Amino acid sequence: MSQEQMKIPQATAKRLPLYYRFLKNLHSSGKQRVSSAELSEAVKVDSATIRRDFSYFGALGKKGYGYNVNYLLSFFRKTLDQDELTKVALIGVGNLGTAFLNYNFLKNNNTKIELAFDVDENKVGTKIGDVPIFHMEQIEEKLREENVNVAILTVPAHVAQTITDRLVNADVKGILNFTPARLNVPPTIRVHHIDLAVELQSLVYFLKHYPINVENEEEEGMVNP
Ligand code: ATP
């Protein structure tokens, strides 16, 4: 990653995949330019934030012209490493894990689940959606062999930490944690936590206690406590 790209704030970096997906759709429909207002409407981010985000990419929209779709697209492709396929491992082939194995991540991004692991003898040795399922005993060996350093965790919460420690030992650098467990990792490892039950509960809570006021909707982050 170049010095320039390192300076993008984290909040902006998190929106990159969203922008990228929308611009790809625009590009395939033959559009050459897009205004921040159009982008704002499509990705539901206010246009001032979009203009500020894009200024970090060196994309300065011209008044009455907007942004050049090709320029932005090639910038995002490079920044998001879309030219390179990122291999991902999935641990825990239960209901959620199985759904992920059947889901085609390649549709929108350049990531692919290459390997899966479980302890259930009925699952080990089989394949789901082309992805082979190996026994946990082989995890360190397989991850190293295939040079995988991103993992999705869909195991029961009580085994999540022990498995995480093994992933760290096997040189995994990023973990997408779908278990309710809070994971302890060394500071060099990045964990993104998605607790579906908590997210759903929080949505229901917000619906009850923070009815959406259309006039204030534009003010980003207002409803977040
Ligand atoms: P299922 O209906 O297949 O049981 P689930 O999502 O309800 O799915 P969980 O109990 O959450 O089941 O387990 C998810 C998966 O994690 C299961 O396939 C289970 O075999 C697997 N698993 C359990 N313990 C471990 C472990 N220590 N290492 C790897 N995988 C494990």
Side-chain angles (χ1 to χ4, degrees):
M1 205 185 257
S2 76
Q3 280 299 97
E4 247 168 70
Q5 290 169 17
M6 299 283 283
K7 281 190 222 133
I8 297 174
Q10 286 203 27
T12 300
K14 279 203 167 168
R15 287 188 282 270
L16 287 184
L18 193 67
Y19 294 144
Y20 178 66
R21 184 162 56 186
F22 177 68
L23 284 160
K24 239 174 47 171
N25 291 342
L26 273 188
H27 181 72
S28 41
S29 68
K31 266 200 110 176
Q32 314 245 321
R33 56 193 199 180
V34 62
S35 67
S36 48
E38 274 174 284
L39 266 165
S40 170
E41 177 57 33
V43 298
K44 303 284 179 243
V45 172
D46 68 275
S47 47
T49 304
I50 292 186
R51 281 193 295 273
R52 195 181 57 236
D53 283 352
F54 283 22
S55 70
Y56 293 115
F57 322 146
L60 303 167
K62 286 188 215 117
K63 253 210 166 359
Y65 177 89
Y67 297 94
N68 181 309
V69 171
N70 277 331
Y71 172 86
L72 285 172
L73 211 54
S74 66
F75 175 85
F76 289 135
R77 206 174 279 131
K78 258 185 268 144
T79 310
L80 291 168
D81 270 343
Q82 293 296 303
D83 293 335
E84 222 175 281
L85 182 78
T86 304
K87 296 187 203 173
V88 178
L90 179 133
I91 334 293
V93 190
N95 289 312
L96 192 57
T98 302
F100 289 153
L101 295 184
N102 284 314
Y103 182 75
N104 179 12
F105 287 91
L106 277 170
K107 264 192 302 196
N108 289 318
N109 321 214
N110 228 357
T111 48
K112 185 171 185 299
I113 301 177
E114 290 269 330
L115 312 155
F117 298 89
D118 207 295
V119 285
D120 185 337
E121 297 293 348
N122 294 319
K123 297 175 182 169
V124 171
T126 65
K127 275 186 174 186
I128 294 180
D130 262 8
V131 184
I133 304 167
F134 297 99
H135 197 278
M136 280 301 284
E137 280 167 4
Q138 287 184 282
I139 194 163
E140 288 86 357
E141 170 202 335
K142 286 283 172 196
L143 293 182
R144 292 224 169 86
E145 203 176 279
E146 293 285 329
N147 203 12
V148 175
N149 49 31
V150 177
I152 299 175
L153 215 49
T154 45
V155 289
H158 69 275
V159 293
Q161 185 62 55
T162 321
I163 294 175
T164 299
D165 296 341
R166 288 178 69 182
L167 292 173
V168 171
N169 276 333
D171 281 342
V172 164
K173 300 292 181 221
I175 299 172
L176 191 56
N177 175 24
F178 280 92
T179 81
R182 293 279 162 179
L183 303 174
N184 294 314
V185 290
T188 50
I189 311 296
R190 181 173 273 276
V191 177
H192 284 196
H193 189 201
I194 303 177
D195 186 327
L196 293 175
V198 165
E199 293 296 332
L200 195 57
Q201 205 176 13
S202 143
L203 172 67
V204 171
Y205 177 84
F206 275 106
L207 285 179
K208 268 196 202 142
H209 300 279
Y210 296 81
I212 292 175
N213 174 347
V214 179
E215 274 171 30
N216 290 336
E217 208 185 5
E218 283 281 293
E219 289 175 42
E220 201 196 10
M222 250 204 57
V223 294
N224 289 329

